[in-house]
């Protein structure tokens, strides 16, 4: 039997996307295993979810390091030590330092709650979409490069923006799609189907 793809999942808070990955693996829909969950904040729900499922979990806080670069390279050390092959940013609230991005070329993916390239680069994509008055928003899974939220797009899902929406209701509608999209992107990666050609990621049809 061949070894399963080893995932390293980076989280910062609630961890509902982490939960979607855990559930996908447990249901046999993702052919991978979580080698480590890393949180940059202590005492967050994501850590509790990881522990509940018996996953290796490490807290690597910014305060323990002199610079953002050292902090992110320490995270890379943990990922390497655990033999991680694909890094998943699942609600990680920091922009990875360029050197950290380069440590796993085309092997770091992120879920962002908008249809990129719209409303990238921040932590309030849903509020920005609402404020702009767009009629459709959604989420994007993309490959992480040094350019923030601008790497090649793997999958996107769209949702309508309704007259009655506030940030919370729109975020909830998008989140439902995130939980579907991120596991699917990981499985496509695990199957070795993705091919990056310039800005395009082929093999997702
Ligand atoms: C998600 O909306 C994700 O797209 C964004 O941060 C949120 C994290 O949610 N990057 P959770 O921690 O996975 O529940």
């Amino acid at each position: 039997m061949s070894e399963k793809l080893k995932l390293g999942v980076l989280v910062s808070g609630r961890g509902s996307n982490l939960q979607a990955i855990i559930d996908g693996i447990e249901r046999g829909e993702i052919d991978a295993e979580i080698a480590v969950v890393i949180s940059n904040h202590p005492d967050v729900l994501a850590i509790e979810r990881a522990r509940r499922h018996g996953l290796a979990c490490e807290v690597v806080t910014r305060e323990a390091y002199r610079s953002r670069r050292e902090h992110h390279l320490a995270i890379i050390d943990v990922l390497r030590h655990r033999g991680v092959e694909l890094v998943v940013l699942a609600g990680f609230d920091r922009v990875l330092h360029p050197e950290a991005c380069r440590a796993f070329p085309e092997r770091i993916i992120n879920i962002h709650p908008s249809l990129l390239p719209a409303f990238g680069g921040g932590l309030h994509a849903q509020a920005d979409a609402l404020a702009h008055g767009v009629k459709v928003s959604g989420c994007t899974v993309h490959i992480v490069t040094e350019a923030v939220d601008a790497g090649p797009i793997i999958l996107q899902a769209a949702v309508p923006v309704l007259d009655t929406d506030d940030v919370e209701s729109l975020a909830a509608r998008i989140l439902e799609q995130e939980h579907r999209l991120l596991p699917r992107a990981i499985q496509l990666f695990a199957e070795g189907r993705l091919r990056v050609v310039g800005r395009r990621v082929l093999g997702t049809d």
Side-chain angles (χ1 to χ4, degrees):
M1 220 177 78
S2 66
E3 285 239 329
K4 281 187 188 291
L5 176 75
K6 285 190 165 58
L7 307 176
V9 185
L10 269 54
V11 295
S12 297
R14 179 180 54 185
S16 69
N17 278 291
L18 166 67
Q19 190 67 54
I21 299 169
I22 293 171
D23 294 346
I25 291 173
E26 289 184 353
R27 282 200 296 264
E29 292 164 9
I30 306 176
D31 207 12
E33 64 188 21
I34 297 178
V36 66
V37 174
I38 302 175
S39 174
N40 58 336
H41 301 300
D43 307 322
V44 291
L45 182 55
I47 296 175
E48 206 179 305
R49 292 182 197 266
R51 298 222 163 107
R52 215 183 285 154
H53 289 268
L55 298 172
C57 193
E58 300 208 20
V59 177
V60 185
T61 63
R62 171 68 181 83
E63 293 71 40
Y65 298 88
R66 277 185 312 201
S67 66
R68 168 172 164 258
R69 176 179 171 276
E70 283 178 36
H71 178 220
H72 292 187
L73 292 181
I75 291 174
I76 293 297
D77 274 350
V78 174
L79 293 166
R80 285 202 171 121
H81 179 73
R82 298 277 184 174
V84 165
E85 295 161 299
L86 176 66
V87 183
V88 182
L89 308 187
F92 187 63
D93 65 359
R94 289 290 176 270
V95 171
L96 268 193
H97 190 277
E99 264 182 73
C101 295
R102 288 198 292 269
F104 282 86
E106 291 182 4
R107 286 188 162 251
I108 308 177
I109 64 173
N110 179 45
I111 177 94
H112 184 80
S114 75
L115 292 175
L116 291 172
F119 312 119
L123 288 175
H124 2 75
Q126 302 96 329
D128 292 348
L130 208 57
H132 199 87
V134 293
K135 296 297 184 187
V136 175
S137 191
C139 52
T140 304
V141 179
H142 66 92
I143 293 173
V144 171
T145 60
E146 293 171 44
V148 181
D149 289 334
I153 291 168
I154 301 173
L155 292 173
Q156 290 186 302
V159 304
V161 180
L162 307 178
D163 289 355
T164 50
D165 269 334
D166 55 16
V167 176
E168 211 169 86
S169 63
L170 177 59
R173 193 174 306 118
I174 293 172
L175 195 62
E176 215 176 288
Q177 295 305 313
E178 294 184 34
H179 295 164
R180 209 176 50 79
L181 216 60
L182 188 56
R184 226 176 95 210
I186 295 169
Q187 179 57 14
L188 286 170
F189 189 99
E191 289 172 3
R193 288 191 17 199
L194 301 180
R195 244 177 344 111
V196 183
V197 181
R199 277 212 48 85
R200 301 182 71 197
V201 180
L202 306 180
T204 61
D205 295 345

